[in-house]
Amino acid sequence: MDHFLYRNGTLHAEDVAVADIAAQVGTPFYVYSAATLARHYTLFTEALSPLPHLVCFAIKSLSNVAVLKLLGDLGAGMDVVSGGEYRRAVAAGVPGDRIVFSGVGKTREEMRLALEGGIRQFNVESEPELRALSEVASSMGTTAPITIRVNPDVDARTHEKIATGKKDNKFGIPISRASEVYAEAAKLPGLQVIGIDVHIGSQLTELEPFEQAYKKVADLTLRLRSEGHTISRLDLGGGLGIPYERSNSAPPLPHDYGALIKRTVGHLGCEIEIEPGRLISGNSGLLVSKVIYVKSGEISDFLIVDAAMNDLVRPSMYGAHHDIIPVTESKAATEAHTYDVVGPVCETGDTFAKARPLAPLAEDDLIAFRSAGAYGAVMASEYNTRPLIPEVLVKDDQFAVIRARPSYEEILNRDTIPLWL
Ligand SMILES: *Cc1c(COP(=O)(O)O)cnc(C)c1O
């Protein structure tokens, strides 16, 4: 459920007309609903109660500091994958003991940053990383709390670019080698082993792969305990999918996911962490764009809009589907017209949808891409020197620009012509 609904024929974000935001901010822009973000976070905490738990929002899905503050103020933890994301969490006021650090390539600088600022745990992904973290923490005279990410060799049955739990993926250590690696971790100075981490992929639309992975984690917990390790925390990753195509998909709900967690690992007496990104942020955001031209094509007409692949890359990168809706509801219920929806970037890949049936649209009409809150703004670039587009947050009847569109001057000033040229 989200808070983007038509009222009197015009699309609203909570109590704000999307067209009013467009008039003030200009298109294209992202708009997020505070109520939707909060609701999704709350669904997860409720699904895990009464287990001791922390829901760590995967910042990489939507990293605006205002959004992080909103979730952090509700009690959310944060899952960061870089020093930059760590800084964002801190800037949002999230205390270090609610920040977990994931990722296969943490640098020593990033480790130092997190150890200085405070960290709940590092999710270590390899033996070289284990040794590096041991060195860094020891040299600082401190101890780093860690879990080790295991790769359970489970097929997440999702898009190959976002599956992370098969043995040929770069993530984690093979679960078959866990005993060996935990034994090494226990011997290294500056590390405190507290648990196990697993994350098998993103946009999972079935619970089965989670079930397989979490059962393996439960078995591993008992084995590692019998080998003398303290396993008091399980980080079960993120990955629960969302319905991108409302008409024909209904992925599992957080409630069912929570029940699965209780069933598979609830008896172990561990504190549970999960790291959802997309399910919290995805349907909390729209990308709003304006039609520049309608161009007749040989096969279907092209709807050329002012958003492009640099603003929302998922369709060209993953072949992803985003529902597209008009900002002004077409009352006439006229026959749908079929369009190829494309942006202005000079690549054929700059296509949001092919042969998509939509209400008939004309120049200057506003449209909205649904489910654009996750992996939207964060993956944007300035390809074709198109300025990064603004992000807007709505709460009830208020809205604010939470990231402004840069001026061309700012963009050009980032380049420097050397004196010797
Ligand atoms: C990407 C990622 C997540 C979040 O995945 P979603 O599909 O957005 O829920 C969580 N944990 C790790 C380690 C990740 O890489």
Side-chain angles (χ1 to χ4, degrees), residues 43-372:
L43 285 177
F44 276 115
T45 51
E46 286 175 0
L48 291 181
S49 293
L51 293 180
H53 68 272
L54 185 66
V55 176
C56 296
F57 176 58
I59 294 189
K60 75 172 198 266
S61 71
L62 172 56
S63 63
N64 190 290
V65 173
V67 169
L68 305 185
K69 171 156 171 38
L70 184 160
L71 293 170
D73 287 354
L74 293 171
M78 301 286 151
D79 173 41
V80 307
V81 293
S82 70
E85 286 192 353
Y86 180 87
R87 285 178 165 87
R88 283 183 178 275
V90 170
V94 179
D97 64 8
R98 276 198 264 140
I99 303 175
V100 304
F101 206 139
S102 302
V104 294
K106 303 174 198 82
T107 64
R108 286 169 163 80
E109 290 69 39
E110 288 173 323
M111 292 169 177
R112 219 167 280 126
L113 173 78
L115 285 168
E116 269 162 15
I119 190 79
R120 181 178 181 81
Q121 98 232 2
F122 291 90
N123 294 330
V124 175
E125 300 225 12
S126 67
E127 289 152 292
E129 183 191 338
L130 210 52
R131 292 168 205 142
L133 183 58
S134 164
E135 274 169 35
V136 172
S138 306
S139 74
M140 292 171 66
T142 187
T143 303
I146 65 158
T147 70
I148 295 175
R149 177 166 174 181
V150 295
N151 184 327
D153 193 21
V154 164
D155 184 355
R157 296 188 219 139
T158 182
H159 191 285
E160 60 169 34
K161 287 188 186 167
I162 50 175
T164 59
K166 286 289 284 173
K167 63 177 173 230
D168 54 348
N169 299 136
K170 70 180 174 184
F171 301 97
I173 58 145
I175 197 162
S176 55
R177 294 199 47 238
S179 288
E180 210 178 311
V181 180
Y182 272 82
E184 174 169 9
K187 275 192 232 123
L188 288 170
L191 301 181
Q192 186 198 2
V193 175
I194 54 169
I196 304 172
D197 172 45
V198 69
H199 171 73
I200 57 173
S202 196
Q203 186 53 19
L204 272 72
T205 52
E206 306 162 63
L207 289 180
E208 239 279 283
F210 287 118
E211 176 140 15
Q212 284 177 35
Y214 296 170
K215 279 183 174 159
K216 290 189 180 192
V217 168
D219 291 346
L220 181 63
T221 302
L222 299 178
R223 177 145 54 88
L224 292 174
R225 281 177 176 168
S226 76
E227 290 165 5
H229 302 287
T230 302
I231 304 295
S232 59
R233 188 180 289 169
L234 300 178
D235 183 334
L236 300 175
L240 197 57
I242 61 170
Y244 278 101
E245 224 165 327
R246 263 137 224 264
S247 48
N248 71 0
S249 62
L253 300 171
H255 176 80
D256 301 322
Y257 176 66
L260 162 71
I261 288 175
K262 289 173 190 169
R263 200 163 65 237
T264 49
V265 299
H267 57 289
L268 296 166
C270 286
E271 183 181 19
I272 302 299
E273 285 169 2
I274 54 170
E275 303 168 342
R278 192 188 310 267
L279 201 137
I280 292 179
S281 53
N283 283 328
S284 302
L286 303 177
L287 166 61
V288 180
S289 179
K290 191 162 74 178
V291 176
I292 306 177
Y293 298 118
V294 183
K295 173 175 163 177
S296 311
E298 301 252 311
I299 295 165
S300 52
D301 286 348
F302 292 102
L303 201 61
I304 304 174
V305 302
D306 65 359
M309 63 187 286
N310 68 297
D311 304 310
L312 177 67
V313 78
R314 299 189 66 261
S316 56
M317 186 148 142
Y318 309 119
H321 173 103
H322 284 268
D323 281 350
I324 299 171
I325 55 173
V327 166
T328 303
E329 203 172 22
S330 70
K331 288 205 195 62
T334 37
E335 251 173 70
H337 194 90
T338 301
Y339 296 104
D340 283 5
V341 183
V342 301
V345 161
C346 305
E347 299 218 15
T348 304
D350 187 21
T351 299
F352 290 114
K354 286 193 92 74
R356 178 74 64 88
L358 296 173
L361 288 158
E363 270 179 38
D364 293 335
D365 282 351
L366 295 172
I367 59 168
F369 296 83
R370 280 187 166 280
S371 312

Side-chain angles (χ1 to χ4, degrees), residues 3-4 13-14 31-41 66-67 70-71 74 280 284 392-396 398:
H3 291 75
F4 301 110
E14 303 193 18
V31 56
Y32 311 121
S33 150
T36 313
L37 288 160
R39 180 186 145 80
H40 291 163
Y41 165 74
V67 169
L70 184 160
L71 293 170
L74 293 171
I280 292 179
S284 302
V392 174
L393 182 66
V394 172
K395 184 171 190 288
D396 304 322
Q398 315 171 69

